Structure formats: C-alpha cells, structure tokens
Amino acid sequence: KAKENGRNQVAYFSSELDNELKEKMRIERKLKKAIAADQLEVYVQPQYDLKRGCFNWGEALVRWIDEEDGFIPPIKFITIAEETDLINQIGRAVIDKVCCLISEHGDTLAAIGINGIAINLSARQFFSSDLLDDIQSALGKYAISAKQLEFELTESLVMEDTGKAIKIMQALRDLGCRLSIDDFGTGYSSLAYLKRFPIDCVKIDRSFIMGVPNDKNDVEISSAIIAMAHKLGLETIAEGVETQEHMDFLKQQKCEYIQGYFMSRPLPIKDLLALPQSQK
Ligand code: C2E
Ligand code: MG
Ligand code: MG
Ligand code: MG
C-alpha cells in the first residue's frame, strides 16, 4: 500500500512540475513575441526629496500588459527572462526608452522636478560584456548626459563576484552615472561591505518601512541603516512609503529621499508628464 502511495506521489509531483514548466514556457514564448513587437512599456515612479519638499528623480519600472493575460507583474516575467538572454533584450529596451524619454521631455521633467531616472539592472545584464556599450550608444543616440541616469543594483548581484562588480561599477561611475544598492537589508551583504562599493545611495527595502514607526525592530533597523550610510558618506532613499507616518519617521531620521504610493504610484509616461510643474 505504501508503495502505491509513493508512486502516486511521484506522479502527482511530476504533473505539478510539468504544469509549472508548461506555464513557464508559455510565458517565455509570449514574452519573446512581446519584446519583438516592442510591447513592453516603461512606467516611472517619482521619488521625493524630503529636504526640499519636491520630486527630484524617478525610477523606471517595466510593464507588460498582455492582450490575453492582462497585467503580468515584473516579478513573474523578469525571473523567467533572467534565465535566458531575454533579460538583456528587456534591459536594452528599458535603457533605450528611458534615454528617449529624457531626450524628448527633459525640459518637462525638469519643470516637474525630475532631474534623472533610475534603471534596475539584473545580474545577467550587469555582468554582460555588452552593458557599457549599450549604455554609451543610447547616451550618444539621444544626446543626453550620463548624469541623468542612475543604476540600481541588488546586494545579491554585487556579492556574486565583488571584484568584477566593483570594476563595472567604477566604469559606470566614470561615465557619470549614479549608482544605488536596491532592496538593502534583504540580502547577505552588510553595511561594512558598502564602503568597498563605489555607490552614491542606499535604498532601504520596503519590508522595513512597512513596520515603522510601530515595530521596534523595523525602527531600529531602518534608523541604523540611515545613520551608518550617512557615516559612510552615502545618501539614503526609502522605498514603499505608503503613509504620512512613514514619511514623518523618515524625515525625522534625516533620510534624504522617499518613494512610494504615498507620493505617487508608478505612472505611464503621459501621466508622468502631466504632473504639476513647479512655479519657479
Ligand atoms: P524594485 O526595483 O524594488 O521596485 C520597487 C517595486 O515596489 C515596484 O514593483 C513598485 O511598483 C513597488 N512599489 C513602489 N511603491 C510602493 C509602495 O508604496 N507599496 C508597495 N507595496 N509597493 C510599491 P514592480 O514594478 O512590480 O517591480 C518589481 C521588481 O521587478 C522591481 O523591484 C525590480 O526588482 C524588478 N524590475 C522592474 N522593472 C525592471 C526592469 O526594467 N529591469 C529589471 N532588471 N528589473 C525590473
Ligand atoms: Mg529598484
Ligand atoms: Mg527596490
Ligand atoms: Mg524592493
């Protein structure tokens, strides 16, 4: 009897895996088509300068709205794309779209307060030998300054091969781009490691912001990250700011920038460009 059960379980698991694999392959096939047809879009979520009380920058977030499946979250298709060269194609398209936006609408963005855009990089894209060429040719194609671009790298990415990562980071810095560490606090690196990396800014992960100001641990962790980053000469930005309480806490901790639904959702470009312009 036990034997029978065992067999059934194997059959059960393998059909589960089979379905998962089929679903993955289905998404991958559709994704290839969507990329080829240029159907991926870039949304921008504004970031807010707490000291000056206005927007100062934005983060590009890729969006895929499929005819049949509707909105497919990046977490789902980015993970699949990262297993193949598709992530490099997506990444290149995002860089191109961001540079195009800055080139065509830089004046409007500046009037809104947005002086540059941050782009997320996956490990496979960051370590690819094409990355620097891709960035430089996009900068040239749209005649924009590297100072208007920031790249967000995750802790796990830089820890994968720190020696190589530092060299690439230095090259991006030499171009004039800003660098930040995304989702800080969720990976295996530590604040002590930060000083080895040529970065400008630390992005405190949303999971810590969610608990402030009530959860004692989250308060301790986020204020320690901010204080230590400042001691190392780095700026800080908090992601996932959803309430006035989050904002007040971060202002009190002297966090430089915030990003989250409380300030603005990620916006399609036409909505981004329709944000109020400052009177100055
Ligand atoms: P991330 O870089 O940490 O981006 C922040 C995520 O938090 C975004 O999710 C954003 O929509 C969401 N978010 C912003 N404010 C709030 C808030 O107040 N509350 C909550 N609950 N969420 C908020 P999204 O757009 O689904 O992206 C998820 C992840 O996918 C990103 O996390 C990033 O790792 C990846 N991703 C997105 N676009 C790209 C891209 O162009 N290239 C690469 N390589 N990865 C990307
Ligand atoms: Mg990010
Ligand atoms: Mg993040
Ligand atoms: Mg995050």
Side-chain angles (χ1 to χ4, degrees), residues 41-48 55-61 97-118 259 263-278:
E41 266 188 80
V42 166
Y43 280 32
V44 173
Q45 184 174 35
Q47 300 171 341
Y48 186 85
F55 290 135
N56 75 307
W57 205 266
E59 177 180 8
L61 294 158
K97 285 174 197 297
V98 166
C99 292
C100 177
L101 169 69
I102 294 172
S103 162
E104 283 182 6
H105 301 286
D107 292 345
T108 308
L109 292 174
I112 294 162
I114 296 178
N115 301 305
I117 308 269
Q259 177 181 348
M263 310 311 306
S264 170
R265 297 228 159 216
L267 301 171
I269 302 308
K270 74 165 176 26
D271 295 348
L272 177 78
L273 295 172
L275 284 173
Q277 304 192 1
S278 78

Side-chain angles (χ1 to χ4, degrees), residues 179-190:
L179 292 180
S180 61
I181 300 291
D182 204 356
D183 305 333
F184 188 81
T186 58
Y188 293 100
S189 75
S190 66

